[in-house]
Structure formats: C-alpha cells, structure tokens
Amino acid sequence: MSDDEIILSDLSDDELVQQMHDDLYDGLKDEIEEGTQILLERGWAPYKVLTEALVEGMRIVGEDFRDGILFVPEVLLSANAMKAGMFILRPLLAATGAPKQGKMVIGTVKGDIHDIGKNLVGMMMEGAGFDVIDLGINNAVEKYMAAIEEHQPDIIGMSALLTTTMPYMKVVIDTMKEKGIRDDYVVLVGGAPLNEEFGKAVGADAYCRDAAVAVETAKDFMKRKHNVRN
Amino acid sequence: MMDPDTPAIRRRGGRASVVAAREAEKRPRVSTIKYGIRPVEAVTAEQLERIHQASLAILREIGIEFRDETAIRQWKEAGADVQGQRVRLDGEMLMHLISKAPSRFEMTSRDPSQRFEIAPDTMTFGAMQGAPNVRDLQGVRRASTIEDLRNMNRLTQMLPGFHIAGGFTCEPTDIAVPWRHLHINHSSLVETNMPFFGLTTGKQRAEDSIAMGQIVHGKDFMDQNAVMLGHVSGNSPLVWDSTMLEGLRAFVEANQVVLLSPFVLGAANTPADIPATIAQLNAEALAALAYTQLVRPGAKMIYGQYSVSVSMRSGAPMSGMPEVTLINAVIGQLARRYGLPWRTTASQSSAKTFDAQSGYESAIAYMSGASAGANLMMHAGGWDEAGLVCCMAKFVADAEQNLLIEKYAQGISFEHFDDALEAVRRIGPGGHYLGDSFTLKRFKDAFFAPEILDYLSYEQWKVKGSKDMAQRCREKAKSIIASYEQPPMDPAVREELDAFVAQRQEEISPSIA
Ligand code: B1M
C-alpha cells in the first residue's frame, strides 16, 4: 500500500497519532485537519489532541530544523498544517478551559524595516502552537500598546536589526512600566546585533539568538506561568 | 647584446636615495581605474532581452510600491498609473527618465588630487559600512566605538586602494543614537579628505550629512561637484519606503550621488530562480533609478544591488556563492545596456574569524565583481560575519587585494610588447631574465608585489616570528595608525564643523549626557 492510500479513519489511535506526526513533518494541511477531526470524534479531549498529536509532531519538526535536516520552506509548510489543526481546536480549547499554549504579539520596532528574522520567529512560534499576531515592520510604541490592549497576549516579541533602532525596545518596555503593565507580560527580544547583555539592559525577560531559542524560551515562560514542570 | 634603449648602469646615490625612491614609489592613492579586460557575459543577447522585458512587464502589470507621499505625488504628476501606493510604469516612460542620467561623472573632495570618474568602464573601491562590531587590533570581537570608527577612517585615508570612505565603516555604538550621525560624518570629514558615504536613514540625518559636507567643501562647490554618496536600499520585493526616499531626495537635491540598491536575499525575497530574481531586482532598480531622475533630471546615480543567497537552514545570508557570481555578470550586462555605472559587493564574507572561509568568500566576491565589470566595488574592506563585523586585519588585507584586483581589471598592456620580445632574442634558449636590462627596467610594474601576502620560505617566515596573515595585518594596521597624520583643514572650517555638531546635538536632544 502506498502512503497516499492510507485511510486515516481506519487507523488505531496510536497509529493515527504517529501518522499525524509524519503528516505534520510533510506539511499536509488537509490530512492534519482530518486527523484532528477524527481524534475529536473519537472522544479525545481537545487539549490531548493538541499536545500529543500536534505539539509533539512539531517538536520533531523543530528538532530536525535545528539539526539542519529540514529547511525553512518545509518548516513553513509544517507550521501551516499545524495552524490548520489549531484553527479547529482553538474554540474547543477555550470552551474546555484547557491551558493555553500562549499568544504572542511580535513586530519590528520603529525605524526598522528588517523582517526576515522576525517572520521566521513568527512562523516557528505558530508551528509550536502559539497564536501569533504579527504587527509587521516599523512599529511605534503606540502600535504595541494598542495590540496589547486588543489581543491580550502573553508575550511581546520585538525585533531590531539596526544599532540605531535597538534602543527603541527600551522605549516600549519603559512605556509598559509607566502604564504599570510591564509585569503582566513576557517580553522577548531578538535581532542580529543584539546580545544577552543588551536584552538585560533594556529590561527584557530574555534575548533570543534565533527562532528555535525563541520558541524554547516562550514555552519555558508559559510553563512557569502555568506552574507546569516537567 | 645590450638593449640599445637602456642607459648604462649609473650611480644612483647608493642606499639612501634608493630607499627614499622606493618609499616614494609606494602607490599613491588610486585615481580613475579604467577597465581593460572584457567583462564576462553570463547570458546571450536574447536572454538579456527576455530579462529586460520581464522587468518592464513586472513594472507595467504588477507595479511597485512607493510608500511615501511625496513620491506618490511626483509619480502622479509625471503621469504614471498610481493606485494608492502602487505605481505602475510603462517601459517607455521609464526608459525615457533613465536616459536623462549621466553615464559618467566625477567625484572629488577638498583635496583636489582626489578625483576619479565613476562610469561603465571604470572601477572604484569603497570601504565597508554598517558593522555594529569590530574585530579589533587585538583580534577581539566587540561592539564598536567612535575611536574604532576614527581608526577605520585613518586606515582608509592612509592605505592606498580606497577611493571612497565608508562613512560608518563601523558604528560608534558608544554615542547616543540621535547624535550618532553627526559624529559619523564628523569623523569622515576630519580623519579623511576623501569622497565619503553620508547617512540616508531619514530626512534629518541625510540633511545633516549634506550640511556638514557643505561646511567643509562649500555649498557652491558641492552644487558643482559630487563629494558624497548616499546609499539607498530597497525593500524587496517591490517596495521603496519613505525613510530611504527622504534620504535619496536630500542627496539628489544637493547634487550628490545616490546608490540605489535592491536587496536580493535569493529565495527569501525573490523567487528561487536566477533569471526571475534578476528580472525582479532589475525592475526594482529601474523604478528607483527613474524616480531619481524625476526628482532631479541629470542626477548622478549608480545602479546598486546587493545579492546573496539565503541559507534554507537558517535564513542567514550567504556570500561567495556561485549564483551571486552569475547574478553579477548579468547585472553588468544590463547596466551597460542602460549606460549606467553599477555596484557590486566586493570582499563579503560570513566568517566568524579572519580565516580560510573569509578569504575564499572574499576572493570570489572580488573576482565575481571585477570579471563582470563592476564600477563600484562596495564594502571592499573589512566585511565579515555578513556585515556584522568590521575586521581591522581583514581591512588591511582587503586594501592590498583592491590594488591587485585593480591591476587585473586594467587588463593587458601591449606598450612594451616589442621591447620584451627583443629580450627573448637576447636571452635565447636556456638563459634567464633576472639580470636582463628589460627586466631591470620593468620588474617593478610588470608583476604585482604584495606586502601582506607572504612568500617567504618556511625558515624565513619562522625567523620573522611565525606570524599568520591576521597577525601581520594587525601589526601593519597598528603601525599605520601610529604614523597617521590628519589631513589639513582650515581651522575656521574645523571650528564651524565642531560648532555645527554641538548646535545640532543641542537642538536634537540636549538631555543626552
Ligand atoms: C521574540 O522576538 C524575537 C526573537 C528572535 C529574533 C527576533 C525577534 N528577531 C530576530 N531574531 C532572531 O531570530 C531570527 C531567525 O533565526 C534571526 O533574525 P536575523 O534577522 O538576525 O536573521 C535573518 C534570518 C537573516 N538576516 C537578515 O535578514 C538581515 C541581513 C542583512 C544583510 C540586512 C538586510 C537583509 C537588509 N537590510 Co540591512 N541588513 C543587515 C543584515 C546584516 C546581517 N548579517 O544581519 C544590516 C542589519 N543592515 C544594515 C544597514 C546599514 C541597513 N539595512 C537596510 C536595509 C536592508 C534591506 C531592506 C535591504 C534588507 C532587509 C530585508 C527584509 N525584508 O528584512 C537599511 C535600513 C533600512 C531600515 N530603515 O531598516 C540600511 C541602513 C542600509 C541603507 N543605507 O540603505 C546594517 C546595520 C547597521 C547598523 N550598524 O546598525 C547591517 C548589519 C548590514 C551592514 N553591514 O550594512 C535572529 O536574530
């Protein structure tokens, strides 16, 4: 039997989850939607579908991306398949009060139009199950504040590639402090000319050297938030 | 038989005068370099036409965004099809505008001996720009400071091999951002007397740059002469944004040169295909070149482009790749077709130390640009880590490479051909040429004699301290900086320049300590 002829609904739960991991790896959106539906119909809790089928599948994708086996366009496909599954699960997760994977608002700061790195981060975060609101480039502090208000994210992500725009991250963080909301959010920063020290100096929670680290760091903060340890 | 043209060997003053003469022979700063080699052509005339037509179709059918109110207004007035920020241009209007640009122009500075031509048949070298870090004189990587920038400018001024100072060869990160551009321009103007890159990121910075140039060179002089360049990057795919266009206008209105660079990150912001990448890049370049002529007909401009491919493992830009060499060759063909000088990125590398990768990538970038007939070899000094580091050692090595590449580009001279053939008759089979009169007359110029590249025997090298290239370069950099003398500047002008910086600092933000 060739792979194309696999009938998902004929598979046992374990086999189906395995198959979904493979389908995520191959970036098959329709198959992921179908698998997600089947598991739900079989009575799986939405949170269990999310963690065991989708998040675990994307963990494998993330590792192979890190190790240079998978390439950016392939990971983008996987992330899109993951998003399609998430789209089905999101309302159900909310209704069942399941712990949230997390929501992030991300944007390149004012004066800066570099966005390739930020886009990669957004894509990997979506792949890991986060809701990502992308503010695009050249964002003034007001944009971040409005997005915080509108979307109530867990994480604020800022990207800057110019030494002249990096300091603007502090403007955003200081404004959050002034408004007394700084501690309600996790602030992550990144971009080629930044470093650990700079992240600390502007008062971010963490500096992320690349997209994989951004995902790991975000997950870590979400675990702490929900007081989950493993 | 003696060469009849060669005078008998005479007294020449012994050691003292030979040493002095050798010092004086050290190359003066490069002037106009004329290409003598034929450029490599990567595509046929028909293929080039297909690419050109594809670029016109992109601009006519898809259009390009000018995210800038002034530009949109100007395009409307010029009769372009404008919807929102999307500008659709027909080929005829585009090429008509571009035909107003000069094919060749001179650049000069307050030192009248610095004068060279930028044209489709000349070659020009500029130091790198934009690094937020240096690999310093101890080989340590760290955030760069104003003192580092001053040292880079001192090196640029002293080393033969550069026509143009980089402006912000490295970024003075110890100076507050709102004031930084003032200090960058100040250093270009004080530490060097060369044409230099001003700053283009936004109206204010560009206007301050021009104003500072005018203090030193005189406004009238700059109205007549180009002494500064502004680098304007596009935001591929198919966007030119306001920040950069404001910079462009400030430079063009002051009669200074603009370099318009679409930015290819192959497969990230262009299609994963070489001819289609070039068609898009060319469309972006043509739109900006035409816009420049709309702002000021006859404006001096250079067809820019920065091309790298992108690692599909990380998104990181990669230099030294074969596709970039091919892209260079085709851009050269296109620019010559349009009658415009064009720029390449010489000497780019992504290495984290000044190592074999750094050397390989840079050497390929150099040869790729030179063999394609590039007219501005930009970033030709110091560029490592994909532009995140300016390596002081590499800068010295690159300066020598610039001279070497210059010689290659000038091609082969037949001036001494007949005399040299006479030498073949004189020596005949089995002899050697080392003592021949023709060799004596020509050996200094006939073959390039590098100082940094090492050709000692192992034992000689060991006796001299077993120094690798980086170490030799750092030592040379230190000695150049130690012997540096500031080029003269009228004290009144210097005072005015300093006062401008102080006054602008006060106006911009007096509170910064
Ligand atoms: C949670 O939040 C997070 C977490 C992690 C985050 C994060 C956010 N953001 C990033 N990360 C991290 O994860 C990502 C994925 O692993 C990584 O992202 P990166 O962005 O680092 O990596 C990307 C995957 C690949 N890297 C990149 O895409 C950047 C590459 C380089 C070559 C670069 C590019 C491509 C561009 N540029 Co520009 N550019 C350079 C860059 C040199 C370099 N080596 O970085 C740099 C940054 N640029 C520079 C300059 C000077 C400029 N650029 C300009 C323009 C551009 C382009 C538009 C042409 C283009 C950007 C295209 C685009 N759509 O993004 C101009 C400025 C425009 C502006 N207003 O912003 C202009 C001023 C040039 C000009 N005069 O026109 C230099 C900086 C100078 C300085 N000292 O600050 C520069 C170092 C190159 C140089 N030496 O000149 C991590 O950093």
Side-chain angles (χ1 to χ4, degrees):
Chain A
M1 195 168 86
S2 91
D3 285 356
D4 289 345
E5 290 159 29
I6 292 170
I7 312 284
L8 292 179
S9 55
D10 289 352
L11 302 178
S12 72
D13 284 9
D14 278 356
E15 286 168 341
L16 178 56
V17 168
Q18 277 308 317
Q19 187 58 45
M20 285 175 72
H21 292 170
D22 280 350
D23 289 349
L24 266 180
Y25 201 92
D26 295 338
L28 301 173
K29 180 168 168 273
D30 294 348
E31 286 73 1
I32 289 299
E33 281 171 348
E34 191 188 339
T36 304
Q37 293 290 9
I38 295 171
L39 287 175
L40 289 170
E41 280 157 21
R42 290 185 191 171
W44 277 47
Y47 186 65
K48 190 170 149 90
V49 181
L50 174 69
T51 50
E52 292 180 23
L54 300 185
V55 172
E56 175 57 16
M58 283 307 290
R59 188 189 60 77
I60 303 166
V61 170
E63 268 176 18
D64 279 6
F65 177 57
R66 183 196 62 204
D67 296 341
I69 299 165
L70 282 178
F71 295 96
V72 173
E74 297 170 316
V75 176
L76 190 57
L77 269 187
S78 299
N80 279 339
M82 165 83 182
K83 254 172 89 176
M86 270 305 281
F87 188 75
I88 298 170
L89 294 177
R90 195 175 294 121
L92 307 172
L93 287 167
T96 53
K100 271 196 268 167
Q101 201 68 15
K103 193 191 267 189
M104 177 173 77
V105 161
I106 189 168
T108 303
V109 299
K110 188 174 161 190
D112 204 320
I113 60 174
H114 295 82
D115 65 357
I116 293 178
K118 173 205 60 119
N119 294 347
L120 270 177
V121 173
M123 171 191 107
M124 294 292 287
M125 291 287 290
E126 284 188 330
F130 285 83
D131 284 336
V132 176
I133 293 110
D134 187 345
L135 302 180
I137 54 175
N138 198 10
N139 284 291
V141 59
E142 297 79 29
K143 282 267 210 65
Y144 285 98
M145 294 308 135
I148 289 173
E149 220 175 286
E150 185 185 344
H151 301 288
Q152 293 298 319
D154 304 287
I155 300 167
I156 316 298
M158 287 189 274
S159 183
L161 266 282
L162 297 172
T163 40
T164 46
T165 56
M166 283 157 53
Y168 197 77
M169 293 176 164
K170 189 163 183 313
V171 173
V172 176
I173 294 175
D174 286 351
T175 309
M176 291 173 75
K177 282 186 189 154
E178 276 163 32
K179 293 188 180 266
I181 57 169
R182 168 65 187 87
D183 294 337
D184 304 342
Y185 304 93
V186 173
V187 178
L188 303 181
V189 295
L194 275 67
N195 55 33
E196 201 80 47
E197 220 177 29
F198 178 83
K200 285 208 183 89
V202 294
D205 290 296
Y207 154 75
C208 309
R209 72 164 182 273
D210 57 35
V213 170
V215 170
E216 283 317 309
T217 313
K219 279 184 177 166
D220 213 49
F221 275 103
M222 290 308 292
K223 271 186 204 155
R224 283 192 231 169
K225 186 166 176 174
H226 297 304
N227 210 4
V228 182
R229 300 256 177 259
N230 58 5
Chain B
M1 194 175 101
M2 276 294 284
D3 171 356
D5 294 341
T6 311
I9 295 168
R10 290 204 227 98
R11 286 219 166 82
R12 43 180 192 173
R15 178 176 188 273
S17 53
V18 172
V19 169
R22 290 280 138 87
E23 266 312 303
E25 275 164 10
K26 287 212 173 130
R27 283 191 79 326
R29 187 173 319 290
V30 277
S31 49
T32 300
I33 302 168
K34 268 258 164 78
Y35 269 102
I37 52 168
R38 283 161 170 259
V40 167
E41 300 197 337
V43 293
T44 64
E46 297 86 85
Q47 289 168 332
L48 195 71
E49 181 62 22
R50 271 184 79 183
I51 292 176
H52 169 72
Q53 289 302 335
S55 301
L56 297 189
I58 289 172
L59 291 173
R60 189 175 57 238
E61 292 159 23
I62 306 168
I64 185 161
E65 270 182 28
F66 280 80
R67 296 185 179 163
D68 177 72
E69 276 173 29
T70 309
I72 288 297
R73 183 175 44 73
Q74 288 167 312
W75 275 125
K76 274 188 191 153
E77 284 165 11
D81 169 6
V82 179
Q83 279 152 12
Q85 296 181 320
R86 187 78 68 96
V87 179
R88 289 187 177 77
L89 297 163
D90 79 74
E92 211 171 303
M93 173 187 195
L94 195 73
M95 297 320 293
H96 175 69
L97 280 168
I98 289 173
S99 72
K100 297 182 181 182
S103 240
R104 37 195 342 120
F105 52 84
E106 268 189 350
M107 291 204 74
T108 186
S109 74
R110 69 182 204 262
D111 169 6
S113 76
Q114 313 258 352
R115 190 170 278 277
F116 53 85
E117 206 183 17
I118 297 185
D121 59 355
T122 71
M123 180 183 239
T124 316
F125 291 96
M128 83 158 286
Q129 42 181 263
N133 303 291
V134 281
R135 215 178 281 137
D136 67 14
L137 292 172
Q138 278 66 49
V140 176
R141 180 196 194 271
R142 56 177 174 74
S144 45
T145 63
I146 186 71
E147 194 47 33
D148 294 320
L149 177 61
R150 290 188 182 129
N151 278 334
M152 292 317 302
N153 279 327
R154 288 169 185 139
L155 288 171
T156 311
Q157 170 75 12
M158 296 288 281
L159 285 161
F162 295 103
H163 295 88
I164 301 171
F168 62 136
T169 300
C170 59
E171 182 96 12
T173 60
D174 54 341
I175 293 187
V177 170
W179 290 357
R180 200 175 282 170
H181 64 288
L182 300 167
H183 294 266
I184 290 171
N185 288 314
H186 188 272
S187 178
S188 299
L189 287 161
V190 168
E191 260 79 48
T192 86
N193 58 5
M194 305 163 67
F196 67 102
F197 276 96
L199 289 140
T200 44
T201 41
K203 190 168 170 357
Q204 203 59 71
R205 286 188 190 134
E207 286 176 355
D208 283 341
S209 300
I210 297 287
M212 292 176 75
Q214 288 171 340
I215 289 173
V216 173
H217 298 90
K219 185 175 178 312
D220 293 347
F221 185 81
M222 275 176 62
D223 284 344
Q224 300 302 318
N225 295 281
V227 302
M228 294 172 70
L229 295 100
H231 183 209
V232 176
S233 288
N235 197 3
S236 310
L238 300 170
V239 175
W240 289 93
D241 74 76
S242 184
T243 311
M244 296 266 94
L245 293 174
E246 282 171 351
L248 181 152
R249 286 189 290 267
F251 273 71
V252 165
E253 279 156 14
N255 189 33
Q256 302 305 298
V257 182
V258 284
L259 169 64
L260 305 157
S261 300
F263 219 88
V264 169
L265 297 151
N269 62 13
T270 68
D273 178 74
I274 295 175
T277 286
I278 299 169
Q280 180 195 310
L281 178 174
N282 189 44
E284 293 164 343
L286 290 176
L289 292 162
Y291 175 68
T292 305
Q293 295 305 314
L294 201 58
V295 175
R296 179 180 179 141
K300 299 167 182 134
M301 59 186 192
I302 300 173
Y303 182 134
Q305 53 105 19
Y306 174 87
S307 301
V308 287
S309 49
V310 163
S311 164
M312 285 297 142
R313 293 208 160 89
S314 64
M318 301 190 293
S319 38
M321 293 296 116
E323 299 78 13
V324 177
T325 301
L326 292 166
I327 291 173
N328 267 318
V330 181
I331 298 299
Q333 289 179 265
L334 285 167
R336 284 188 292 278
R337 176 193 168 127
Y338 305 137
L340 294 173
W342 68 284
R343 160 247 170 148
T344 191
T345 304
S347 181
Q348 51 176 345
S349 158
S350 297
K352 312 307 172 287
T353 63
F354 183 26
D355 62 359
Q357 175 172 344
S358 178
Y360 274 119
E361 287 179 320
S362 304
I364 286 183
Y366 269 117
M367 283 308 283
S368 144
S371 58
N375 312 113
L376 172 57
M377 305 283 273
M378 198 175 159
H379 297 310
W383 180 283
D384 252 340
E385 253 185 61
L388 294 171
V389 155
C390 171
C391 174
M392 291 188 161
K394 183 169 189 286
F395 192 84
V396 171
D398 286 345
E400 179 168 281
Q401 289 296 308
N402 293 354
L403 300 179
L404 219 127
I405 289 290
E406 165 190 349
K407 180 130 200 228
Y408 164 70
Q410 285 173 328
I412 294 170
S413 160
F414 280 75
E415 194 188 335
H416 306 286
F417 188 50
D418 293 334
D419 281 357
L421 285 175
E422 278 308 314
V424 178
R425 288 178 201 287
R426 268 197 307 279
I427 302 296
H432 74 74
Y433 289 83
L434 288 172
D436 184 68
S437 57
F438 183 77
T439 308
L440 208 58
K441 201 164 78 182
R442 292 283 308 132
F443 78 94
K444 282 201 260 53
D445 298 323
F447 295 98
F448 190 84
E451 284 181 31
I452 290 295
L453 295 172
D454 168 78
Y455 297 95
L456 299 173
S457 73
Y458 177 75
E459 286 80 6
Q460 293 167 326
W461 173 78
K462 209 171 150 199
V463 167
K464 287 203 158 193
S466 312
K467 292 171 190 165
D468 68 6
M469 176 109 157
Q471 203 176 343
R472 294 195 301 275
C473 288
R474 284 198 295 271
E475 284 176 9
K476 171 122 194 217
K478 280 180 203 162
S479 84
I480 293 174
I481 291 168
S483 67
Y484 166 84
E485 277 170 41
Q486 227 169 54
M489 183 185 278
D490 179 341
V493 169
R494 174 63 191 263
E495 217 170 282
E496 196 184 338
L497 187 69
D498 294 354
F500 181 86
V501 171
Q503 180 207 329
R504 288 292 297 133
Q505 286 191 169
E506 194 65 24
E507 285 165 6
I508 292 168
S509 181
S511 61
I512 303 170

